[in-house]
Amino acid sequence: MQRLQERCDFFEGLVKSTIENPPLELANIWLNYYKMVVKKYQRNKRAVEQGEPLAAVVFPVAPEIFAAMDIPTFIVAGEPLMGLEDPVIYIDEADRMGLASGICTLLRENVALVAQGYAPVPTVLVTTTHPCDSVNIAYQTIGSLEGWRSIPQFAVDGPYLTDERALDYYTDEIERLIEFLEKHTGRRLDENRLRQIIEESNKQIDLWWEYKELRRAVPAPHPPEIQMMPYFVVHFWNPGDSLGTVWFQDLLADAEERVRNKRGAIPEERIRVVWFDFRGTWRFELGFWMEQEWGAIVVDDIWSHCTMPKIDTSSYRSMIRGVAERSLDHIPMYRQFRVPAEVYLEDLVRAVKDYKANCVIWPGHMGHKDATALTGLIRDTCREIGVPFLGFWSDLFDARVTTIEAMKAEISQFFTTMGLGVKDKK
Amino acid sequence: MVVAGCDIGSATGKAVVMRNGTIAAYVIIPSTPNPEKTARLAMDEALKKAALSSIADLDYIVGTGYGRLKVGFAHENVSEITCHARGAHWLCPTIRTVLDIGGQDCKAMSLDEKGKVVDFVLNDKCAAGTGRFFENMARVLDCGLDGLSALSLQGRNPPLITSQCSVFAESEVVTLINEGVDLADIAAGIHNSIANRLVSMLRRVGVVEDVALTGGCAKNRGLVKALEDKLGVKVRTLPVDPQIVGAIGAALVAKERLGS
């Protein structure tokens, strides 16, 4: 409870400071985004205070269902470390717990934080069996922690392929999840409420696709931190909430104005980068340097790369199937790293073409072992479409593995060699 | 117009002076512990060979190599990948793949028809496939670098040396020596092992003919043969010492900067 209060205080502090000292650009976008986060944590807090159901979810799955059942969620693969100044220290804590160093650092950190009480003890624990082995280890570890062992647990099983049969299977899995939630939380899924949530969410998806069109403009209208927010608004904070729709409308209006006036996110855009993975916790430092030193802006990454479809609300089954489809095939990482390589490569080619990228960077995250074998295929694909490719090895959540300075050196060498941006002049 | 390129590597410093688009002089000297000093020594000697009295006689100088930031007299620094590509393409415009094997790293590059780098990979984290590895093996076999190369060409039944890490490979080689394996065979095995690693790097950028080798290790005939055998292609012989290709590329960049 204390941790939830701290989290509320942290994001309320951001709201307050954004009101008192608004940034020169995009103040409204940041402010309303923070308000959505605060609303989410206030809801979490109320659930704990009033003994209402609360679900701990390892990675996002079917958020529309939880919203429609009024079961607040806490994503244990990411939320425990949000707002912490130096989460890296919890990697050592994870080592002490016996978690192998090959497990994704994001999950190691968060599991250690959960063990230290940084997540509210939930009514139910829900996970997915995808997209990576680290999620499975994290789920099993969290589920066996003191105080969590007796919590009812459910794993939504994700098939490997992405076709009609796979979707039928996953739709049944979502139905099983609903049964589980109804049994263990006492909440019922109301079809009309689900329709309301999805219809609001569909409006947001429409706006997101429009935004995606505007993002094609040169120069890029918004920085990558803004580009990646839509996923979190649609699927993470308060799915189906009208606040999110208003936020999207503001986002779109701002982007339209910038595109009309050819006003870019950075003063002198010279390089457009597709960074086709997550961007690390060190993204601000590296991104700022890329922008300042090279005029290089990340125009797409897997958070920002929208493929999410609208959901058919004509029947109960069509809604469940639509929810399943979004979760299985359109959540970043589930989409790209769960399935055969073609999906990732096709998305990559589309990203390069749509956003007129000059180059592709693949950070080779240590936790994405399921994607490591892609490196050669990405290189081949980039060569085929004639776009320079840089791949290196890093830990997206621990800059000690490949330091920021080492990454800067790699990127500088790459830009220079490929004749992108300015030369390496003294 | 007189320009120069200065390539400061971990093992040697190279300087090339170019007058009106042709090589007027070049030098290769062993690196000192001070890259700035190496650069100065190399350039002074190259100036002397080109019958120039001082650096002031040069219109533009480009530094390259791992010590390029220490070439205090250079007007500009350019990465060695760019320079090796530029140099190789100038020497032989049909080159599409370049493998530069230096003292402490190696790089594979693919070039387009204009000599522009379209892809590259490099290994700068490990000694395998670099001059240091060969120096180490030559020490273990007590035959010198030239001797190692010559010895490898005599090998008829090379053993499989599985370790590519120079430390583990040394242990493996010592074991083979103690088992009485013929030294020529061991030398051939060493070259095969490194060629395997280099071929996998080359395949990542795509092996398109013509293929050129640059850097000091390109003079190792045993390595060239092992690579040719594994790639199934003939490595193109460059008309100059392959060790100065990076410095030539740097001089060419210098020439471009002057707009000619």
Side-chain angles (χ1 to χ4, degrees):
Chain A
M1 187 62 203
Q2 186 201 334
R3 300 297 182 196
L4 273 178
Q5 184 59 54
E6 285 169 5
R7 212 168 292 276
C8 283
D9 292 346
F10 176 80
F11 286 103
E12 278 168 0
L14 286 177
V15 168
K16 193 162 171 267
S17 66
T18 310
I19 292 168
E20 286 170 359
N21 300 299
L24 293 174
E25 303 265 5
L26 302 156
N28 212 31
I29 307 297
W30 283 107
L31 178 65
N32 290 329
Y33 186 79
Y34 291 143
K35 282 183 179 172
M36 284 185 273
V37 182
V38 168
K39 185 176 180 183
K40 190 260 190 214
Y41 285 119
Q42 282 173 342
R43 179 70 188 91
N44 275 189
K45 194 158 71 85
R46 199 178 82 220
V48 174
E49 280 170 348
Q50 300 182 2
E52 293 178 27
L54 175 78
V57 181
V58 179
F59 251 49
V61 60
E64 300 87 352
I65 300 292
F66 289 92
M69 294 178 80
D70 194 24
I71 303 170
T73 58
F74 189 87
I75 308 295
V76 290
E79 292 190 51
L81 65 75
M82 278 181 195
L84 292 182
E85 239 172 60
D86 189 15
V88 166
I89 58 171
Y90 292 96
I91 297 170
D92 298 336
E93 191 51 40
D95 286 346
R96 277 192 285 276
M97 287 174 69
L99 286 169
S101 59
I103 296 170
C104 174
T105 305
L106 176 70
L107 289 155
R108 279 190 293 147
E109 280 174 335
N110 281 296
V111 168
L113 283 159
V114 172
Q116 300 220 350
Y118 278 82
V121 177
T123 318
V124 289
L125 173 61
V126 174
T127 191
T128 50
T129 57
H130 50 283
C132 61
D133 292 345
S134 295
V135 165
N136 286 315
I137 300 285
Y139 164 63
Q140 289 164 33
T141 311
I142 291 169
S144 60
L145 289 173
E146 188 69 39
W148 288 64
R149 278 176 216 143
S150 56
I151 294 167
Q153 301 175 11
F154 187 88
V156 183
D157 186 35
Y160 171 60
L161 293 172
T162 179
D163 55 17
E164 285 302 306
R165 189 170 157 232
L167 188 53
D168 286 343
Y169 177 80
Y170 204 67
T171 304
D172 290 344
E173 284 294 289
I174 298 299
E175 294 271 23
R176 283 181 58 232
L177 170 66
I178 295 164
E179 275 173 38
F180 167 83
L181 292 173
E182 288 186 338
K183 180 177 173 191
H184 294 283
T185 66
R187 293 281 160 91
R188 292 283 169 267
L189 177 62
D190 177 75
E191 186 180 334
N192 288 329
R193 179 66 186 138
L194 178 62
R195 187 166 288 108
Q196 279 174 1
I197 294 284
I198 290 175
E199 280 171 354
E200 197 64 35
S201 175
N202 279 349
K203 284 184 208 165
Q204 295 172 10
I205 297 289
D206 272 340
L207 294 167
W208 192 358
W209 280 93
E210 265 190 70
Y211 179 58
K212 198 175 139 124
E213 291 299 314
L214 289 166
R215 278 181 43 218
R216 294 183 184 203
V218 179
H222 285 156
E225 284 66 39
I226 299 289
Q227 287 165 194
M228 62 195 270
M229 283 178 178
Y231 170 75
F232 292 91
V233 173
V234 169
H235 233 210
F236 207 88
W237 299 122
N238 310 289
D241 188 324
S242 58
L243 262 184
T245 313
V246 173
W247 180 87
F248 263 107
Q249 286 161 347
D250 287 347
L251 179 78
L252 217 60
D254 187 88
E256 270 169 355
E257 183 274 320
R258 283 162 182 271
V259 171
R260 201 178 317 117
N261 296 310
K262 295 192 184 315
R263 196 153 63 92
I266 59 172
E268 198 195 337
E269 179 184 298
R270 297 191 296 280
I271 306 172
R272 293 168 68 86
V273 180
V274 163
W275 178 288
F276 223 48
D277 199 329
F278 296 144
R279 297 177 66 236
T281 42
W282 30 260
R283 64 181 177 272
F284 292 104
E285 188 180 343
L286 189 75
F288 184 71
W289 170 82
M290 281 168 62
E291 290 166 7
Q292 296 290 310
E293 190 76 17
W294 289 96
I297 186 164
V298 173
V299 289
D300 205 23
D301 59 75
I302 67 169
W303 283 125
S304 310
H305 189 79
C306 168
T307 60
M308 213 165 266
K310 283 165 69 174
I311 293 175
D312 173 6
T313 55
S314 60
S315 71
Y316 176 80
R317 183 67 182 174
S318 74
M319 288 193 285
I320 302 299
R321 192 175 169 83
V323 166
E325 186 188 356
R326 272 190 190 172
S327 279
L328 183 67
D329 290 337
H330 301 282
I331 290 181
M333 219 175 124
Y334 291 11
R335 172 175 176 79
Q336 291 92 358
F337 301 153
R338 176 187 56 83
V339 294
E342 284 77 7
V343 176
Y344 179 96
L345 298 173
E346 282 165 17
D347 279 2
L348 175 71
V349 171
R350 177 150 294 283
V352 168
K353 289 184 176 166
D354 282 357
Y355 300 109
K356 303 165 191 74
N358 316 89
C359 62
V360 170
I361 296 181
W362 165 251
H365 173 50
M366 54 67 75
H368 288 170
K369 291 170 191 68
D370 41 352
T372 301
L374 276 174
T375 314
L377 295 172
I378 300 171
R379 181 180 289 279
D380 291 348
T381 303
C382 287
R383 195 180 304 138
E384 276 167 28
I385 60 173
V387 64
F389 167 75
L390 171 68
F392 54 86
W393 174 254
S394 73
D395 185 330
L396 292 176
F397 307 98
D398 184 0
R400 297 172 303 182
V401 172
T402 301
T403 63
I404 304 270
E405 288 311 310
M407 286 186 258
K408 286 179 184 175
E410 292 255 16
I411 291 168
S412 288
Q413 171 157 271
F414 171 67
F415 285 162
T416 308
T417 302
M418 294 304 176
L420 302 167
V422 294
K423 294 287 179 198
D424 181 11
K425 281 192 176 179
K426 282 197 291 190
Chain B
M1 181 189 45
V2 190
V3 295
C6 191
D7 177 3
I8 302 306
S10 64
T12 55
K14 287 80 65 177
V16 166
V17 175
M18 210 172 243
R19 187 180 281 124
N20 298 326
T22 57
I23 297 170
Y26 74 86
V27 296
I28 302 169
I29 63 166
S31 285
T32 71
N34 179 342
E36 199 164 0
K37 186 178 167 193
T38 308
R40 172 61 69 173
L41 289 171
M43 189 51 76
D44 283 349
E45 207 178 317
L47 288 169
K48 206 186 297 173
K49 278 191 173 179
L52 296 171
S53 51
S54 80
I55 277 176
D57 293 334
L58 296 168
D59 296 312
Y60 206 85
I61 308 166
V62 167
T64 189
Y66 101 101
R68 65 181 186 269
L69 296 177
K70 298 289 183 189
V71 185
F73 50 77
H75 297 94
E76 186 180 337
N77 299 310
V78 174
S79 88
E80 56 262 50
I81 298 167
T82 302
C83 290
H84 278 269
R86 199 67 55 89
H89 185 260
W90 181 74
L91 290 163
C92 181
T94 55
I95 298 291
R96 294 291 174 272
T97 310
V98 178
L99 181 64
D100 166 43
I101 315 169
Q104 69 172 15
D105 66 10
C106 48
K107 314 160 195 81
M109 300 149 242
S110 66
L111 279 52
D112 65 14
E113 65 281 359
K114 290 179 182 152
K116 185 175 179 290
V117 177
V118 291
D119 200 0
F120 69 93
V121 291
L122 71 164
N123 161 32
D124 58 358
K125 302 284 189 295
C126 142
T130 70
R132 287 277 179 268
F133 181 88
F134 288 111
E135 280 176 14
N136 204 30
M137 292 301 132
R139 180 182 53 76
V140 175
L141 293 180
D142 193 24
C143 59
L145 269 178
D146 290 341
L148 182 70
S149 169
L151 206 55
S152 78
L153 293 168
Q154 296 162 27
R156 292 290 167 264
N157 192 19
L160 191 64
I161 293 171
T162 53
S163 301
Q164 290 179 336
C165 163
S166 51
V167 176
F168 292 127
E170 180 174 338
S171 306
E172 222 173 318
V173 167
V174 169
T175 305
L176 291 168
I177 293 169
N178 291 335
E179 285 171 357
V181 178
D182 182 73
L183 293 190
D185 286 343
I186 296 176
I190 288 167
H191 283 76
N192 280 344
S193 147
I194 289 308
N196 280 338
R197 185 183 176 99
L198 295 171
V199 165
S200 85
M201 272 182 79
L202 278 169
R203 295 218 192 281
R204 283 164 67 193
V205 298
V207 182
V208 179
E209 291 186 80
D210 289 341
V211 178
L213 253 57
T214 65
C217 292
K219 294 192 254 193
N220 178 335
R221 285 174 45 240
L223 179 63
V224 174
K225 183 179 178 302
L227 277 169
E228 285 179 338
D229 290 348
K230 290 185 189 306
L231 287 172
V233 302
K234 198 91 184 137
V235 170
R236 184 73 188 245
T237 305
L238 296 174
V240 297
D241 185 325
Q243 208 163 358
I244 63 164
V245 174
I248 291 174
L252 289 168
V253 173
K255 184 168 160 269
E256 281 165 24
R257 294 293 187 265
L258 293 178
S260 55

